[in-house]
Amino acid sequence: MDLFGGDLFDGEAIADGYDSARPALHGPIMERVAGVLDWSTAMGGRTVVDVGCGAGASTAAVRPWSDSVTGLDPAVAMVTRAARRHRDARFCVGSGLALPIRSGAVDALVAAGALNFMDLATFRAEASRVLVPDGVVIVYDFSTGRRTVGDATLTAAYDEFAQRWPRPVANRHPVDSAVLGAAGFALRTDATFVETVTMTGADYLRYLMTETNVVGGIATGHDRHDIERWCRERFAPSFASSSATPIPIEFDCWYAVVDPRGSADHVRQQ
């Protein structure tokens, strides 16, 4: 039995995959952050900019906690898809290294997995410029979904997937609370935790094919359909007992709320 369904690829841009196949983690993470910051859904004019918004999922997660949110990304295809999908936010093409925003105009900047590709000193200077005096930068990310409780087959399959098609590392650097602190950001609060997303075999395969491992594999000459075929066969045993029934996939998550101006007012919460 084919647990994953038919051919997934019809020439659509990678933005389509980010729009439809990525795990729904931005919302739960932002809900945690909003709780720590004591934000309510009645924001009273708070303005937020989502830096590196991709196809808009992270921007949509910010929307309940802001009066106005703008998604910003250097990729035209991502911004186009985001603007088409999320009508209650604004989007524009731009970089976190040269924010197209007037000074002192923003209450919070959000960066979900985006600072790994930016010069932190340049971003910190830009963040300091555009934020209001008590404004903050919210940084968060989540790991690949490579495990499920009580079954090691998914982890083993993902390890083999990552070995066959390594994640590209060009222009990417690690970011966590310690890295941000070393770059001059003052930590207000941070946390690490696990979020669980239920996925069917078809869901998981669609997610896998949005991973940068696949993008890197294609860039080095591998056929996209061959990668899909391998993943379909290799990951099927992890879903065999559930057929089309979702199974819980665990994602390691973290966030940090920081002050780019280096404020001494630190309140660390785990």
Side-chain angles (χ1 to χ4, degrees):
M1 180 179 180
D2 182 359
L3 302 180
F4 292 95
D7 185 5
L8 300 178
F9 300 106
D10 57 1
E12 293 289 332
I14 192 68
D16 293 346
Y18 269 72
D19 183 30
S20 62
R22 299 295 288 176
L25 290 164
H26 296 281
I29 294 173
M30 271 306 304
E31 187 171 356
R32 286 176 179 261
V33 174
V36 168
L37 294 178
D38 197 26
W39 283 7
S40 71
T41 54
M43 298 313 299
R46 180 166 286 132
T47 299
V48 181
V49 173
D50 179 21
V51 180
C53 66
S58 53
T59 312
V62 175
R63 187 66 187 89
W65 315 103
S66 63
D67 180 68
S68 171
V69 59
T70 299
L72 184 77
D73 200 278
V76 175
M78 290 291 190
V79 170
T80 301
R81 174 51 63 101
R84 186 184 308 141
R85 179 69 178 269
H86 304 285
R87 303 281 182 160
D88 59 347
R90 293 178 292 183
F91 296 91
C92 66
V93 176
S95 169
L97 303 180
L99 292 167
I101 303 165
R102 64 180 174 83
S103 298
V106 178
D107 296 288
L109 294 172
V110 175
L115 298 190
N116 307 76
F117 303 95
M118 297 184 199
D119 177 78
L120 293 180
T122 304
F123 172 75
R124 178 174 171 244
E126 278 292 272
S128 298
R129 179 182 66 81
V130 304
L131 286 172
V132 299
D134 61 345
V136 295
V137 179
I138 299 166
V139 185
Y140 71 86
D141 207 352
F142 47 88
S143 70
T144 55
R146 59 195 308 156
R147 69 176 185 266
T148 186
V149 177
D151 182 3
T153 64
L154 186 72
T155 300
Y158 196 100
D159 288 345
E160 190 174 342
F161 165 73
Q163 184 175 11
R164 280 176 172 261
W165 298 286
R167 193 176 192 180
V169 295
N171 302 318
R172 181 185 177 90
H173 55 83
V175 171
D176 57 19
S177 297
V179 169
L180 291 170
F185 293 85
L187 180 66
R188 290 194 176 183
T189 182
D190 67 351
T192 59
F193 50 95
V194 175
E195 289 285 348
T196 300
V197 177
T198 55
M199 293 183 169
T200 65
D203 295 335
Y204 192 74
L205 183 56
R206 293 187 183 94
Y207 156 64
L208 278 180
M209 303 311 291
T210 68
E211 289 286 80
T212 54
N213 307 65
V214 175
V215 177
I218 294 170
T220 56
H222 293 267
D223 183 81
R224 190 169 187 173
H225 289 83
D226 288 342
I227 299 175
E228 177 208 346
R229 189 176 304 110
W230 184 91
C231 290
R232 187 190 306 275
E233 295 172 357
R234 183 65 184 85
F235 284 90
S238 298
F239 295 87
S241 62
S242 301
S243 185
T245 303
I247 66 172
I249 309 295
E250 292 187 334
F251 293 81
D252 296 316
C253 308
W254 73 278
Y255 68 76
V257 179
V258 296
D259 185 341
R261 301 180 179 94
S263 168
D265 181 20
H266 297 181
V267 181
R268 186 185 186 98
Q269 299 187 17
Q270 297 293 342

